[in-house]
Amino acid sequence: CAWPVVRVQTTGQAQVTVAIEEQNDVKSGGSRRKLSEELFFDEVKEDEVRKLFRQLLSFAYEIGAEPAWRSSAVSIQLPDPQGSRQNFTLFVMATRGEVYLGWLAGQLERVSLDKNIGLGFVERLASLFPGVPPHSKNPETLSRPLRASELAPKVDAFMSIVRETVVKIKEL
């Protein structure tokens, strides 16, 4: 998304009012919405997926991460412990019952932290899910999203890897 540039030049006294209107979502033709926690869980159709996602959301709060509600997902983000405005995306839960990763290595690198923590995070998760290697062209993510049904039996190991990654980030 390109941000508009607003330049105001005046000579002498001037009264300036700037109003920025929300842009419509080009794909849907309507305004882009953000889900609330309640709406998110209402849109998750299966009880078992809802239960897993509630567990992961509770875990996120426990490790100091925060949810960022989107139009069809919630992104679990760790605020930069060093105080930059960068949030580190740990994982994303989608209403369609999938969990996916991406961006962590680049986000770390953007604030001059070790991107290998993010790449190692993806590699460790890939080893937990045989047949789901890191993406061949983008090693910041897995080759495909994880279905809740395959994540549920390994949720404790998943949370352990996430927790260890958060500890590494906080130690930097």
Side-chain angles (χ1 to χ4, degrees):
C1 171
W3 293 96
V5 174
V6 177
R7 183 187 325 233
V8 178
Q9 293 178 313
T10 65
T11 305
Q13 186 177 11
Q15 181 176 355
V16 178
T17 303
V18 177
I20 300 175
E21 298 177 13
E22 284 189 39
Q23 293 190 355
N24 288 339
D25 182 356
V26 176
K27 291 180 187 171
S28 68
S31 291
R32 200 169 193 141
R33 69 181 179 130
K34 282 187 181 179
L35 295 174
S36 64
E37 181 174 343
E38 182 180 352
L39 285 173
F40 174 82
F41 284 108
D42 284 349
E43 289 196 13
V44 174
K45 301 300 177 206
E46 297 175 34
D47 289 339
E48 288 304 311
V49 175
R50 231 184 338 271
K51 180 180 173 187
L52 173 68
F53 285 1
R54 285 190 192 285
Q55 179 182 6
L56 289 172
L57 184 59
S58 191
F59 165 72
Y61 287 122
E62 177 188 319
I63 61 172
E66 299 171 353
W69 302 100
R70 308 287 184 220
S71 60
S72 62
V74 57
S75 177
I76 303 303
Q77 302 179 349
L78 179 70
D80 181 356
Q82 294 185 352
S84 78
R85 297 187 69 185
Q86 178 69 59
N87 286 335
F88 304 125
T89 303
L90 301 171
F91 58 93
V92 178
M93 300 182 293
T95 56
R96 65 183 176 272
E98 295 176 338
V99 172
Y100 59 93
L101 323 172
W103 317 288
L104 181 58
Q107 291 168 337
L108 289 166
E109 189 174 42
R110 213 167 292 133
V111 294
S112 302
L113 296 177
D114 186 1
K115 76 176 187 176
N116 289 317
I117 292 173
L119 296 173
F121 172 61
V122 173
E123 288 173 8
R124 291 187 64 210
L125 288 173
S127 70
L128 188 60
F129 298 95
V132 189
H135 193 281
S136 61
K137 293 182 180 165
N138 181 9
E140 282 191 270
T141 190
L142 295 172
S143 58
R144 67 169 174 79
L146 299 170
R147 293 179 304 279
S149 59
E150 68 189 321
L151 176 57
K154 299 180 178 187
V155 70
D156 290 337
F158 175 86
M159 290 188 301
S160 178
I161 292 168
V162 172
R163 183 186 310 276
E164 289 166 15
T165 301
V166 167
V167 167
K168 286 180 185 177
I169 292 169
K170 287 180 176 181
E171 288 175 344
L172 293 176

